[in-house]
Amino acid sequence: MKLQRMNRRALALGALAVSGALALTACGSDDTGDNGGTSAANPPSSNIKCDDAKGQLLADGSSAQKNAIDAWVKQFAAACKGVQINYKGGGSGAGVTAFTQGRVAFAGSDSALKPEEVEASKKVCTGGQGIDLPMVGGPIAVGYNVNGVDNLVLDAKTLAKIFNNEIKTWNDPAIQKLNPDAKLPNLKIQAFHRSDDSGTTDNFTKYLMATAKSDWPYEGGKTWEAKGGQSASGSSGLAQQVKQTNGAIGYFELSYAKDGIKTVDLDTGAAQPVKATVENATKAISEAKVVGTGKDLALELNYGTKAEGAYPMVLVTYEIVCDKGNKADTLPATKAFLRYIASEDGQKVLAENDYAPIPADIISQVRTTIEGLS
């Protein structure tokens, strides 16, 4: 599956030039990242079709995509001044629950709906059901804070043992073997995981299960299962703990690996360790396959790829919406916003904010599906 080539100029971070933009209210979420900047490559707000959109649009879910949502909302709200979009990045689990309870117009989730969640959605999607629309891709970065260690290589086996509390100090022989030139201290490893149900956790552990199953004997899912470690809420919570704790390591979407947070290079079995970058993530996401049925576009990712330059610890965030039975008062705004973020202009915003656009042939299916929402 070939990805649409990304404009290299779109990879440059810039400030978002928007007048009268409506700030996105976090509603208690601390995932407020300020990576909403875009460059001149982004569309003027006049390119966004508002149609009859108006009123307040409530949404919740993935904290991994919140920086992308922030950037999109600033553009959309500048054009569609009659709409207020309130995205609470409370985590994928919270988003799916809010959706199946009918409390939000759409949800963001880093994991596709499970059969029981689809069944629950039928109670709020009159005559229809919840469907998964892949909208945001990107690498899950493993951030670390070890004074004096500026470059670090780890493989899946070592990561599994670190997060399963089996490797406990930074100068462990397994880490030293992967980093022969590094001066690793005799310092306790403080591994941080998500305290809330998280699609990022789901994808991180799927990577470990696919590549280090003997060292990660868990079933996976949004809830953290391994022993030991410390926890924090949301991607921003984990990033903050890593930033302020010497000896810490944690996992979060790349857009949260900022303000001096260093990231691990993965030894995947390729000739060279692979860095957590948007370009390297797109190489891995290009191997994804659509496995959803009907209008559902759930993807299957290849976490075990050893392709040169492919960073396999990736996630795809879905926007979850009713295919039929959307509430009449929120449907116009929902369709207008989803139409924009799935557009070529909307997808360009992703690369500027450390996310990966969805492959061209998949996003075209997403656009068609959005137009048929009712």
Side-chain angles (χ1 to χ4, degrees), residues 18-19 31 42 71 99 155 168 193 199 256 301 307 324 329 347:
V18 175
S19 59
D31 286 334
N42 278 342
F99 179 77
D155 58 14
K168 301 183 179 182
H193 59 265
Y256 292 93
L301 299 171
K324 298 178 182 179
D329 58 340
Q347 289 288 297

Side-chain angles (χ1 to χ4, degrees), residues 62 64-65 108-111 133-137 315-319 358:
S62 165
Q65 73 165 359
S109 176
D110 307 326
S111 301
L133 301 178
M135 203 72 74
V136 183
L315 59 77
V316 169
T317 288
Y318 302 93
E319 309 312 334
I358 298 300

Side-chain angles (χ1 to χ4, degrees), residues 50-343:
C50 304
D51 294 336
D52 299 322
K54 59 183 179 180
Q56 187 178 50
L57 200 63
L58 299 179
D60 193 3
S62 165
S63 63
Q65 73 165 359
K66 189 174 182 300
N67 288 336
I69 292 283
D70 285 355
W72 280 329
V73 166
K74 287 178 182 179
Q75 289 281 11
F76 184 82
C80 305
K81 300 184 185 297
V83 181
Q84 179 183 355
I85 300 177
N86 189 328
Y87 182 82
K88 180 183 178 182
S92 297
V96 171
T97 297
F99 179 77
T100 56
Q101 292 178 351
R103 294 187 279 112
V104 294
F106 70 91
S109 176
D110 307 326
S111 301
L113 291 170
K114 296 178 180 179
E116 61 268 26
E117 293 168 340
V118 172
E119 193 62 31
S121 74
K122 294 179 180 179
K123 298 178 181 179
V124 296
C125 301
T126 306
Q129 65 178 51
I131 56 173
D132 302 287
L133 301 178
M135 203 72 74
V136 183
I140 300 173
V142 177
Y144 71 97
N145 180 353
V146 181
N147 290 343
V149 180
D150 295 326
N151 298 286
L152 187 67
V153 175
L154 295 175
D155 58 14
K157 183 180 182 70
T158 306
L159 276 171
K161 289 186 175 182
I162 287 173
F163 281 92
N164 200 29
N165 201 34
E166 293 179 8
I167 291 179
K168 301 183 179 182
T169 60
W170 281 107
N171 64 346
D172 187 276
I175 302 177
Q176 191 71 69
K177 183 178 179 180
L178 291 165
N179 299 271
D181 298 326
K183 295 182 179 180
L184 298 171
N186 183 17
L187 175 68
K188 179 182 177 181
I189 295 175
Q190 301 196 53
F192 285 89
H193 59 265
R194 290 281 288 271
S195 59
D196 53 323
D197 283 357
S198 160
T200 309
T201 292
D202 190 16
N203 285 275
F204 176 64
T205 55
K206 280 178 179 176
Y207 167 75
L208 295 179
M209 288 188 295
T211 55
K213 182 62 178 176
S214 61
D215 296 293
W216 193 258
Y218 302 105
E219 296 181 358
K222 295 185 181 74
T223 302
W224 186 258
E225 299 172 296
K227 59 187 179 183
Q230 302 181 60
S231 64
S233 178
S235 294
S236 66
L238 282 190
Q240 183 61 31
Q241 290 296 330
V242 170
K243 181 182 177 180
Q244 68 187 19
T245 308
N246 187 30
I249 188 170
Y251 57 92
F252 31 79
E253 209 282 330
L254 182 62
S255 67
Y256 292 93
K258 54 188 179 180
D259 298 332
I261 293 178
K262 294 166 286 190
T263 60
V264 168
D265 296 348
L266 286 182
D267 182 344
T268 64
Q272 297 294 330
V274 186
K275 294 185 177 299
T277 68
V278 168
E279 289 180 306
N280 293 343
T282 60
K283 293 179 182 179
I285 295 173
S286 68
E287 299 183 23
K289 298 179 180 179
V290 176
V291 294
T293 58
K295 294 182 179 179
D296 187 88
L297 298 174
L299 302 179
E300 181 178 81
L301 299 171
N302 182 10
Y303 298 100
T305 181
K306 297 181 180 180
E308 296 298 328
Y311 185 87
M313 194 189 297
V314 295
L315 59 77
V316 169
T317 288
Y318 302 93
E319 309 312 334
I320 296 172
V321 66
C322 296
D323 58 354
K324 298 178 182 179
N326 289 280
K327 295 179 180 178
D329 58 340
T330 58
L331 179 59
T334 299
K335 289 183 71 171
F337 183 64
L338 294 179
R339 181 186 296 122
Y340 161 58
I341 67 178
S343 70

